[in-house]
Amino acid sequence: MRRRTFAADDLLTILWGLERLGRLTGIDLDIVEAAVQRGASGAQLLDGERSPAERRSAAPAANAGCLVARVSRSGAPVADLVARRAGAAADAFAAQPPAANDDERLPLLCGEDLPAILAFAADIARTLAENGCLRCDSRQLTELLRLAARAVAPDLLAGAQARPPKALARARESTRIAALEADVRHGAEIIDGLPCIVYSFDEQGRLRGWNRTFREVSGYAEEELALKPLREFIADDGFGFLAASLAASAGSSDARTEAQFLTRQGERIPYLFTVRCVPGADGGLKVGIGLNIAERKQAEALRDKLTRALRLLGECNAALLRAETEQALIDEVCQLIVSTGGYRMAWVGYAESDENRNVCPVSFAGSNDGFLDGVRILWEDSELGRGPTGTAIRSGVAQVCRSIAQNPACAPWLEAARQRDYVATVAIPLLAEQRAFGSLGIYSSDPDSFAGDEVALLNDLASNLAYGIQSLRSRARRDAAERQLAFLAHHDPLTGLPNRVLLRQRFAESLAAAEIAGSGMALFYLDLDSFKQVNDSFGHDVGDRLLVALVARLQSCLRHGDLVGRYDSDAFVGVLIDAGDPAIIDRQMNTLLDAVAAPLEIAGHTLHISCCAGISRYPDDGTDFDTLLRKADAALCHAKDSAPGVSRFFESRMSRDALALMQIQSRLRQALAQEKFILHFQPQIDVIANKVVGFEALVRWIDENGELVPPGSFIAAAEESGLIVPLGKWVLGEACRQGREWLDAGLPQFSVAVNMSAQQFKHGGILETVAEVLTSTGFPAGLLELELTESILLQDTELVMQTLGELKLMGVKLSIDDFGTGYSSLSYLKRLAVDKLKIDQSFVRDLGESADDSAIVRAIIQLGHTLQLSVIAEGVETDRQLAFLRSFGCNQAQGYLFSRPLPAEDIPDYVLQRASVS
């Protein structure tokens, strides 16, 4: 009894369905082929005799296989397999097709193995679905399983053992052939409708078959594709790689590669190509599919960019931690953006606050090639400021330009960008306190650069960079302030010379070296002459520039190892090493003095200034800084008393003089406290009328022995110690009190002249003092005459003018004492509200004997009269001098010719006596 069997075309349907399933899922075709071959081998032909008609009945199976291959354009591995199993080749069928009325049954196959084949197919489909590998939709899968299920329909499984009638067999055969052809057509439609490209090619690499997707993507017409080399569609020799891979595996495994699919229009589309050999196919037929992976590639590229951006952000944050300077930080960040971030160029520019609002590049990295040198970028709202960088700085918001060529705002820089392959750019503002101080610019040659997440990360990077720059600037300011404080603690801020603290340290170092070497050393104390007058005349700015220039000259004259420091406003202390010989010291000091005395051009003024110096020597005059400095100071005082521009070595008598000065100052303080002073008055005579017109108050000091000390012996000490201010106030008050007493005694109204010192005028509150004295004594302001030296008038011109004006408003008379001996300025004299000029006695002394003195006196008198000032001469001792003065038109005179200074009680008698003589 025969086993239940099925016709060969039912098996063919199952096998074709399995192969289609494999192709649609994209799973390795070797796996599906193995399943097909295993299923085919499980179906065995029945034993027994075959008639010629039965042998010919295998032809429809071959015909069906050829139809599958032709319609699907994908080769026919299953058809060939089935044709071999049936014992006939496809070409044999083509040469001798079966008769239409052939009623012979197809060879029957054992059906017991078919359920296992179908179960295997279902298992493949289920596994593919579970692993997410199934690339066909559910409709297509259902259709394929339906095709496979048809082979094991229940009516066939339960069929009778006996052969059906011939008519029924022919009907069944026709129905199955029609169904097979319909299924083939339907399968071809499915393949044509697949989103992937499907193709077959021969051993020469020529296209033999393709689906609709292949044709549409390629852009070629159907007739243009036939036998076209597949190599032309796969870029970068991807076809060569596939062919080589197949050859290497001898066709036993699939070949797979990623390459770009080349279209007719020149477009390059990323695809995953998979090809395999068709076993037993003539001409080395191969089939393949291609999956469009553009979206995957874009996703991978975006992932890579974000990964690089994250890594870049981390590396830049690490750079922030290790950066020592602002420039080092921005240099490293720009380099990291290029090397780690993969961008073409990166740069940082700062927004200048100049008139044009330029953006100044401070750092760059990457392919610059002179780009930043050849373009101009502004941040103002103009054509050159409306690009990404300028807009980012103005708005404080990042500006993304993914196509420089298509952005009109980038037109000024388009050609330069093209030459350097800059396709896209982003400009991110560097913000501090919500205000942009610069911009980070990044250029890329990839048009897909600077998407949302990427820009967000770059924004974080720019924020961190701005914070790092501000932190480093704060640190730099703090370090600079600390260095400045350290510098100021040891240096003079104007000249940069060592101050007193550092000077002592340097001296100690030089002293230690001198002790070891057994060599001599000199310390000099140098003081500028009339430096205060320069400040008062031309301003402190000129004075400061003068000091700086003089210091440069001093330093140029010093030897290596010598040093000089600023000890006071116009005083310098220096040390000369290896200086034991006084002649060598004197020669070097003369070099310093000559350098200072040379004229200087400052602010359009030619300045002449001299200096004096005192010198002490180690070890002869002392072995420590304080001792040597004190003795050098004493020598300086003697030098200044001698003449301008000289130096003096310390001598032991100088210490005695300095000690005497200190003693005098101490005694002066006691005398002020005890009011041990008295006023004498020297008459002032009208030269023409020969009568008394006033008196000059002259102070005398009553010492411990009751003797009177003249002012020349103590006024200098009072000036130096500052005691002149309280002393001058006492003199002013006593003179006005005495004048009031004379008026009350019935004497005529005489003016009383009082000398004012420069310190008293500047620091003594002169306006308040004069007002207080006049109020307390009741002395008329019109009878008080204040004698001012020329140095007073040159201290602070505007302030002096204001003070003199207010004194004049009080009614006080003003005169210039010792006129011609100081820094006379006719322009100042013209502006000063003075009433009288007093000719210094040094000019009067040789009057009539010295033509120069006579000329000077005559000129002063004429000048005074021209300015409508009264002129008085002091120190008149002879009638000859008086005669000259009278002939020159001098108004008044005073001196021993008329009277010595008299005590106040002798004035009434002198006035009466003088009145009787005149």
Side-chain angles (χ1 to χ4, degrees):
M1 188 174 177
R2 292 179 177 268
R3 293 184 295 172
R4 291 177 178 173
T5 58
F6 293 92
D9 54 351
D10 290 329
L11 176 60
L12 176 63
T13 301
I14 295 174
L15 300 182
W16 180 84
L18 285 174
E19 184 183 24
R20 295 306 95 205
L21 179 63
R23 293 181 181 281
L24 288 176
T25 57
I27 299 302
D28 193 340
L29 296 180
D30 289 339
I31 298 176
V32 178
E33 179 69 12
V36 170
Q37 292 178 0
R38 188 162 54 251
S41 63
Q44 300 175 358
L45 295 172
L46 292 176
D47 296 331
E49 293 289 329
R50 290 186 182 181
S51 66
E54 287 176 334
R55 290 190 177 91
R56 287 196 304 271
S57 68
N63 184 29
C66 293
L67 181 61
V68 170
R70 183 169 62 256
V71 175
S72 68
R73 300 184 179 89
S74 61
V78 175
D80 290 342
L81 175 64
V82 175
R84 287 196 304 273
R85 293 293 185 184
D91 54 350
F93 173 78
Q96 186 178 1
N101 58 354
D102 193 343
D103 58 355
E104 293 294 334
R105 293 286 312 275
L106 292 173
L108 298 180
L109 303 175
C110 296
E112 296 175 351
D113 296 320
L114 294 181
I117 297 173
L118 182 59
F120 183 73
D123 184 62
I124 291 175
R126 183 171 57 257
T127 302
L128 296 176
E130 289 175 354
N131 289 276
C133 298
L134 205 58
R135 288 185 173 84
C136 61
D137 56 29
S138 58
R139 184 185 62 80
Q140 294 168 331
L141 177 60
T142 302
E143 182 66 21
L144 293 175
L145 293 177
R146 184 187 65 78
L147 295 173
R150 179 181 296 175
V152 289
D155 61 325
L156 297 178
L157 290 174
Q161 297 181 3
R163 291 173 176 260
K166 286 186 178 182
L168 179 60
R170 283 195 299 271
R172 180 179 178 186
E173 181 180 1
S174 298
T175 301
R176 288 182 177 178
I177 291 175
L180 177 61
E181 291 176 348
D183 291 340
V184 168
R185 286 193 301 273
H186 186 61
E189 291 174 358
I190 292 176
I191 293 173
D192 263 353
L194 291 176
C196 58
I197 62 174
V198 181
Y199 53 90
S200 64
F201 58 96
D202 58 23
E203 195 163 354
Q204 285 74 38
R206 297 172 301 184
L207 276 174
R208 302 300 296 271
W210 54 87
N211 68 345
R212 183 189 305 117
T213 304
F214 187 101
R215 185 184 70 252
E216 292 174 350
V217 172
S218 69
Y220 288 92
E222 188 80 24
E223 60 275 9
E224 295 176 306
L225 289 174
L227 299 180
K228 195 172 184 64
L230 184 61
R231 185 183 302 274
E232 296 182 7
F233 296 91
I234 305 178
D236 304 324
D237 200 27
F239 176 79
F241 175 80
L242 292 170
S245 298
L246 287 176
S249 65
S252 61
S253 61
D254 292 348
R256 184 176 287 108
T257 187
E258 292 183 3
Q260 291 179 325
F261 187 84
L262 304 177
T263 71
R264 185 172 193 168
Q265 294 76 22
E267 187 179 1
R268 303 167 73 95
I269 306 172
Y271 265 81
L272 172 63
F273 293 95
T274 304
V275 298
R276 62 165 298 173
C277 294
V278 178
D282 293 338
L285 191 68
K286 301 173 181 63
V287 295
I289 62 172
L291 300 176
N292 189 325
I293 57 173
E295 291 184 2
R296 193 195 79 189
K297 284 293 186 181
Q298 291 176 355
E300 291 175 352
L302 179 59
R303 181 196 63 203
D304 292 343
K305 288 177 183 177
L306 294 180
T307 301
R308 286 198 306 269
L310 283 171
R311 185 166 65 250
L312 171 63
L313 183 61
E315 293 184 8
C316 288
N317 288 340
L320 292 177
L321 297 176
R322 61 175 174 265
E324 294 293 333
T325 65
E326 177 180 341
Q327 189 63 47
L329 171 62
I330 59 179
D331 287 346
E332 185 172 0
V333 167
C334 286
Q335 186 59 49
L336 287 172
I337 290 173
V338 173
S339 60
T340 301
Y343 297 101
R344 190 153 182 80
M345 197 270 279
W347 71 289
V348 171
Y350 287 163
E352 299 289 340
S353 298
D354 54 3
E355 180 180 356
N356 295 324
R357 294 189 171 186
N358 286 290
V359 178
C360 178
V362 294
S363 181
F364 74 89
S367 178
N368 175 42
D369 193 24
F371 175 75
L372 296 175
D373 297 329
V375 300
R376 187 181 180 200
I377 301 175
L378 309 179
W379 63 280
E380 66 175 4
D381 191 10
S382 64
E383 182 183 11
L384 295 178
R386 297 192 187 104
T389 299
T391 305
I393 293 176
R394 283 198 314 278
S395 65
V397 178
Q399 302 297 309
V400 179
C401 176
R402 303 188 72 178
S403 176
I404 296 176
Q406 297 178 6
N407 189 344
C410 296
W413 311 279
L414 177 58
E415 185 57 34
R418 280 176 174 168
Q419 293 174 2
R420 294 159 181 84
D421 196 23
Y422 299 161
V423 175
T425 183
V426 64
I428 309 174
L430 302 176
L431 301 174
E433 299 179 355
Q434 304 303 315
R435 180 178 177 274
F437 64 89
S439 170
L440 170 63
I442 304 175
Y443 290 88
S444 174
S445 57
D446 182 3
D448 294 328
S449 294
F450 311 127
D453 292 340
E454 182 182 0
V455 172
L457 291 173
L458 294 176
N459 260 320
D460 290 344
L461 187 154
S463 297
N464 294 344
L465 175 60
Y467 175 79
I469 291 174
Q470 294 302 315
S471 299
L472 288 171
R473 287 181 177 179
S474 298
R475 185 198 304 175
R477 287 192 293 268
R478 183 174 61 252
D479 293 344
E482 292 175 355
R483 288 193 300 270
Q484 182 69 6
L485 288 175
F487 180 84
L488 293 178
H490 296 89
H491 293 83
D492 171 56
L494 175 63
T495 63
L497 291 177
N499 62 7
R500 297 185 180 193
V501 176
L502 185 57
L503 192 61
R504 285 178 176 272
Q505 296 177 3
R506 297 280 177 84
F507 173 84
E509 295 169 1
S510 299
L511 181 63
E515 289 176 347
I516 294 174
S519 59
M521 192 167 63
L523 184 146
F524 64 86
Y525 199 139
L526 186 148
D527 184 78
L528 302 178
D529 299 328
S530 305
F531 177 71
K532 189 174 183 303
Q533 281 80 353
V534 174
N535 271 340
D536 294 341
S537 302
F538 304 107
H540 288 276
D541 179 62
V542 172
D544 289 346
R545 293 169 63 181
L546 173 64
L547 281 178
V548 172
L550 291 177
V551 165
R553 287 184 175 181
L554 290 175
Q555 290 179 318
S556 68
C557 296
L558 295 176
R559 303 165 301 171
H560 179 71
D562 295 341
L563 66 96
V564 63
R566 190 179 183 190
Y567 206 73
D568 209 342
S569 61
D570 58 352
F572 302 89
V573 172
V575 176
L576 305 177
I577 62 173
D578 296 329
D581 187 348
I584 296 177
I585 298 173
D586 186 59
R587 186 162 57 249
Q588 187 156 0
M589 287 307 304
N590 287 334
T591 301
L592 293 175
L593 298 179
D594 291 343
V596 172
L600 278 169
E601 290 286 338
I602 297 180
H605 304 286
T606 301
L607 303 180
H608 298 267
I609 195 165
S610 61
C611 64
C612 293
I615 308 164
S616 60
R617 295 184 296 152
Y618 165 85
D620 298 346
D621 299 325
T623 57
D624 62 88
F625 182 81
D626 291 325
T627 300
L628 291 172
L629 181 63
R630 185 177 68 251
K631 293 183 176 181
D633 189 17
L636 172 63
C637 293
H638 280 264
K640 293 178 77 69
D641 291 340
S642 312
V646 299
S647 62
R648 290 288 183 270
F649 284 94
F650 173 78
E651 298 176 7
S652 56
R653 64 179 179 82
M654 295 178 182
S655 292
R656 292 192 295 270
D657 292 343
L659 180 61
L661 178 62
M662 293 178 61
Q663 292 174 346
I664 289 175
Q665 291 174 349
S666 177
R667 291 165 58 198
L668 279 174
R669 286 187 176 86
Q670 294 176 1
L672 274 172
Q674 300 171 5
E675 296 187 354
K676 293 292 185 178
F677 293 96
I678 191 173
L679 290 183
H680 283 190
F681 298 88
Q682 188 172 33
Q684 295 177 335
I685 308 299
D686 185 309
V687 172
I688 303 300
N690 197 27
K691 65 178 182 180
V692 179
V693 293
F695 295 92
E696 180 182 3
L698 301 170
V699 68
R700 300 290 187 268
W701 176 19
I702 305 173
D703 69 5
E704 296 86 350
N705 300 322
E707 298 180 358
L708 297 180
V709 180
S713 301
F714 65 86
I715 289 298
E719 290 270 6
E720 186 173 344
S721 63
L723 295 174
I724 193 66
V725 175
L727 178 60
K729 184 176 181 180
W730 180 87
V731 170
L732 178 64
E734 185 63 17
C736 290
R737 185 198 63 77
Q738 186 60 61
R740 178 74 260 179
E741 186 177 313
W742 288 334
L743 290 174
D744 293 343
L747 267 67
Q749 291 187 348
F750 299 121
S751 65
V752 177
V754 179
N755 288 283
M756 302 295 296
S757 74
Q759 289 194 37
Q760 187 179 2
F761 195 87
K762 188 173 183 180
H763 304 295
I766 188 65
L767 292 175
E768 294 79 5
T769 299
V770 171
E772 178 185 347
V773 168
L774 292 176
T775 300
S776 62
T777 61
F779 188 67
L783 298 179
L784 177 61
E785 181 179 306
L786 299 179
E787 293 189 356
L788 314 173
T789 62
E790 289 180 282
S791 61
I792 293 177
L793 305 178
L794 298 176
Q795 287 182 357
D796 191 335
T797 306
E798 296 303 323
L799 180 61
V800 167
M801 301 289 276
Q802 181 180 351
T803 303
L804 294 181
E806 295 187 19
L807 287 173
K808 291 293 290 183
L809 289 176
M810 292 182 188
V812 176
K813 298 293 188 296
L814 302 173
S815 66
I816 300 178
D817 193 15
D818 301 332
F819 186 79
T821 60
Y823 189 86
S824 301
S825 173
L826 298 182
S827 62
Y828 290 155
L829 185 62
K830 181 180 178 181
R831 298 171 57 195
L832 295 173
V834 297
D835 302 282
K836 184 186 293 185
L837 298 180
K838 176 178 278 190
I839 302 173
D840 187 69
Q841 62 182 345
S842 62
F843 300 121
V844 176
R845 185 179 300 117
D846 295 328
L847 194 61
E849 298 178 2
S850 170
D852 291 339
D853 287 345
S854 298
I856 292 173
V857 170
R858 184 193 299 270
I860 294 175
I861 294 172
Q862 291 176 349
L863 174 63
H865 290 169
T866 301
L867 296 175
Q868 299 180 352
L869 303 178
S870 176
V871 181
I872 182 173
E874 67 176 352
V876 179
E877 298 179 354
T878 66
D879 290 329
R880 180 182 175 85
Q881 294 170 345
L882 180 61
F884 270 100
L885 291 171
R886 187 179 289 118
S887 67
F888 294 157
C890 186
N891 302 105
Q892 299 173 10
Q894 75 179 75
Y896 283 4
L897 177 62
F898 307 106
S899 174
R900 291 177 176 274
L902 301 173
E905 60 269 19
D906 293 345
I907 294 301
D909 293 339
Y910 176 80
V911 171
L912 291 175
Q913 178 187 357
R914 190 72 188 177
S916 63
V917 172
S918 61

